[in-house]
Amino acid sequence: MKIRVLTLFPKMFDAMSESIIGRAIKNGTLDFEAVDIREYSADKKHFKCDDAPYGGGAGMVMCVQPIYDCINAVDPNHEYKRIYMSPKGETFTDKTARRLAECDNLLILCGHYEGVDERAIELCIDEEISVGDYVLSGGEIAAMAVIDASARFVDGVLGSALSHEDESFANGYLEYPQYTRPPEFMGLKVPEVLLSGDHKEVDKFRREQSKQITRARRADLLDSID
Ligand code: SAH
């Protein structure tokens, strides 16, 4: 999977070199690059990329020209799924992550300040995605969440292909609680059944725990399970 993130703050994506995603980039499963929009500014003196909003109001708006030129340089033939991170977008879920993992090429535009000139969205963007009902100061952290969650569904990114089929949301339920050594800590014991070696009983216990925790915390999820 090829991913290009367009941002005014490419250094924020240094964090992508760590852990599971970092390993996938190193071994070539993911081809990732953060592209600096500033380099595409027509203003070759100050590389200005934002300006005051028409109609007035607080803050600055990212200009359409550098974004338009940057997107067309990275993706001249529109071979990428082009996403704009935005609180006004469709809310990102496990389902969205699975759908995006099917894309060979993903381009993600990160806004900053008050956002981007609407014409950049109109001219260049296929889809707007939000990570939740709150406002971040920029799209970078949102983009990292989208990339991380989607890349987990790309073959070869997770160590074991099974690991995401067992997790929260995969089958509509939240995941059961996990335990590891030691068997007892500060008087708290690991449930006996998990030490029993009886896989059938372990599965049954985990399924019940999954249902219980989903009912208690996210009853809304149960409505969509058939
Ligand atoms: N003025 C805008 C918010 C701009 S926040 C509004 O009220 O709708 C600056 C940038 O952060 C946005 O352009 C977007 O790229 C990103 N951003 C903020 N909140 C986000 C969210 N919940 N999901 C995805 N991106 C978000």
Side-chain angles (χ1 to χ4, degrees), residues 73-116:
V74 170
D75 181 25
N77 302 315
H78 204 155
E79 290 162 342
Y80 284 73
K81 164 77 89 188
R82 298 169 170 187
I83 291 164
Y84 171 52
M85 299 315 306
S86 161
K88 293 183 267 188
E90 196 177 305
T91 307
F92 186 66
T93 63
D94 182 74
K95 211 168 142 198
T96 330
R98 287 168 191 268
R99 177 167 61 78
L100 296 183
E102 300 292 320
C103 299
D104 292 332
N105 306 304
L106 217 54
L107 181 154
I108 304 182
L109 171 65
C110 302
H112 230 91
Y113 318 117
E114 285 306 312
V116 305

Side-chain angles (χ1 to χ4, degrees), residues 164-179:
H164 56 62
E165 286 321 319
D166 225 17
E167 280 177 320
S168 294
F169 310 110
N171 50 15
Y173 294 103
L174 300 176
E175 197 191 53
Y176 46 81
Q178 302 267 18
Y179 300 88

Side-chain angles (χ1 to χ4, degrees), residues 19 24 38 81 91 104 124 144 194 220:
S19 184
R38 208 172 290 282
K81 164 77 89 188
T91 307
D104 292 332
C124 306
M144 280 189 245
L194 299 179
D220 60 299

Side-chain angles (χ1 to χ4, degrees), residues 13 18 40 48 63-64 66 78 86 94 106 128 159 169 179 215-216 218-219:
F13 290 90
E18 296 290 336
Y40 293 86
K48 194 174 163 64
C63 302
V64 59
H78 204 155
S86 161
D94 182 74
L106 217 54
E128 294 181 54
F169 310 110
Y179 300 88
R215 211 172 301 123
R218 291 293 306 275

Side-chain angles (χ1 to χ4, degrees), residues 30-64:
L30 296 178
D31 170 353
F32 174 81
E33 203 181 304
V35 181
D36 191 348
I37 298 171
R38 208 172 290 282
E39 287 176 12
Y40 293 86
S41 171
D43 167 20
K44 292 301 174 205
K45 195 161 172 219
H46 303 289
F47 295 91
K48 194 174 163 64
C49 283
D50 59 282
D51 215 325
Y54 279 124
M60 300 293 267
V61 175
M62 281 171 67
C63 302
V64 59

Side-chain angles (χ1 to χ4, degrees), residues 5-24:
V5 174
L6 279 49
T7 170
L8 290 176
F9 301 93
K11 277 213 181 73
M12 286 181 77
F13 290 90
D14 286 355
M16 302 286 289
S17 63
E18 296 290 336
S19 184
I20 291 170
I21 301 299
R23 189 185 58 201

